[in-house]
């Protein structure tokens, strides 16, 4: 009477069993084949593909039919150059799409033989801005903490929502905050409330693109205290050049503004 292993149920003979080597070996072989054919689970640890001593990048290939089209997805670790991970989708032998994740964190999609970068970092929001007997005003928007990285400063786009006699502008002052402003088109003073819709983009880890800048001198720490906000209780350094500071995650006005004291 043979026993079997706990997890994969691979049979093995006991010392008390009759010696019938060929049948026992066949039982083990058939069980191993059944495990591999049916798709097997590794219950613990990692599956390693490739050998660092071999220059060619290892890959895993998945094939499947969709209608009569054969789709092949190849997951490859690239070596040399940028390094990273490449996911390639092949339809009937022709590459249709490729996703490239580089070591520096940049992501590109290749389709039609052209690489198309996916933004490295992006943030969008809607910020309340109030003019009180003013032709123009601005607000500081705190960006999500840690989202943007030096040496780039994000490129900023801003529009006034539902206010065609006003225009908005946006500019990056640092990697932690931006400034959006609202100005009356004929520069006369007025009182009005607006939401400014804004977007800040950094295309690659090092450039926004094309805008290489040194870190500015931060003057204040501003802290959001909205419960549940991703920025809550994180002091965000800003270059304060506007009367109002708004959290770029929860859109609430930030009241906790303290000068950064030199230590
Ligand atoms: Zn917040």
């Amino acid at each position: 009477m043979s026993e079997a292993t706990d997890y994969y149920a691979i049979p093995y003979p006991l010392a008390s069993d009759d010696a019938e080597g060929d049948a026992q070996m066949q039982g083990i072989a058939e069980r191993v084949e059944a495990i591999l054919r049916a798709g097997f689970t590794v219950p613990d640890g990692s599956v390693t593909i490739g050998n660092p001593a071999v220059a060619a990048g290892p890959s895993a290939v998945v094939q499947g039919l969709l209608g009569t089209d054969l789709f092949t997805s190849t997951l490859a670790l690239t070596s040399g150059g940028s390094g990273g991970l490449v996911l390639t989708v092949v339809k009937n032998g022709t590459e249709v799409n490729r996703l490239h994740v580089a070591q520096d964190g940049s992501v590109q999609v290749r389709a039609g033989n052209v690489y198309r970068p996916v933004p490295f970092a992006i943030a969008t929001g809607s910020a309340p801005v109030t003019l009180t007997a003013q032709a123009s005003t601005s607000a500081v928007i705190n960006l999500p903490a840690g989202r943007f990285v030096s040496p780039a400063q994000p490129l900023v786009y801003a529009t006034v929502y539902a206010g065609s006699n006003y225009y908005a502008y946006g500019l990056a002052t640092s990697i932690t905050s931006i400034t959006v402003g609202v100005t009356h088109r004929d520069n006369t003073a007025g009182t009005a409330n607006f939401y400014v819709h804004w977007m800040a983009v950094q295309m690659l880890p090092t450039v926004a693109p094309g805008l290489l800048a040194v870190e500015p001198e931060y003057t204040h720490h501003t802290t959001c205290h909205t419960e549940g906000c991703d920025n809550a209780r994180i002091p965000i350094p800003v270059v304060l050049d506007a009367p109002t500071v708004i959290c770029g995650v929860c859109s609430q006005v930030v009241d906790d503004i303290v000068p950064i004291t030199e230590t």
Side-chain angles (χ1 to χ4, degrees), residues 43-163:
D44 197 4
S46 303
V47 176
T48 301
I49 300 172
N51 181 343
V54 178
S59 62
V61 177
V62 180
Q63 297 188 98
L65 278 178
L66 201 61
T68 57
D69 295 321
L70 171 65
F71 282 89
T72 306
S73 301
T74 307
L75 181 67
L77 306 174
T78 62
S79 53
S82 61
L85 185 91
V86 177
L87 177 65
T88 308
V89 179
V90 176
K91 179 183 178 184
N92 297 331
T94 302
E95 179 179 321
V96 292
N97 225 322
R98 180 186 295 199
L99 178 69
H100 182 204
V101 182
Q103 275 184 337
D104 64 5
S106 61
V107 177
Q108 297 190 78
V109 175
R110 194 174 91 159
N113 285 325
V114 176
Y115 273 107
R116 304 158 202 276
V118 175
F120 174 72
I122 188 170
T124 61
S126 183
V129 175
T130 299
L131 293 107
T132 306
Q134 289 168 300
S136 143
T137 191
S138 61
V140 166
I141 311 286
N142 281 343
L143 296 167
R147 177 79 55 90
F148 298 91
V149 299
S150 291
Q153 291 178 356
L155 296 178
V156 182
Y157 306 89
T159 60
V160 171
Y161 177 66

Side-chain angles (χ1 to χ4, degrees), residues 4 27 57 76 121 128 148 183 191 208 214 242 253 262-263:
F148 298 91
T183 299
T191 295
V214 293
V253 172
E262 294 190 20
T263 53

Side-chain angles (χ1 to χ4, degrees), residues 224 226 229 231 247 250:
C224 172
T226 302
C229 174
N231 272 355
C247 176
C250 67

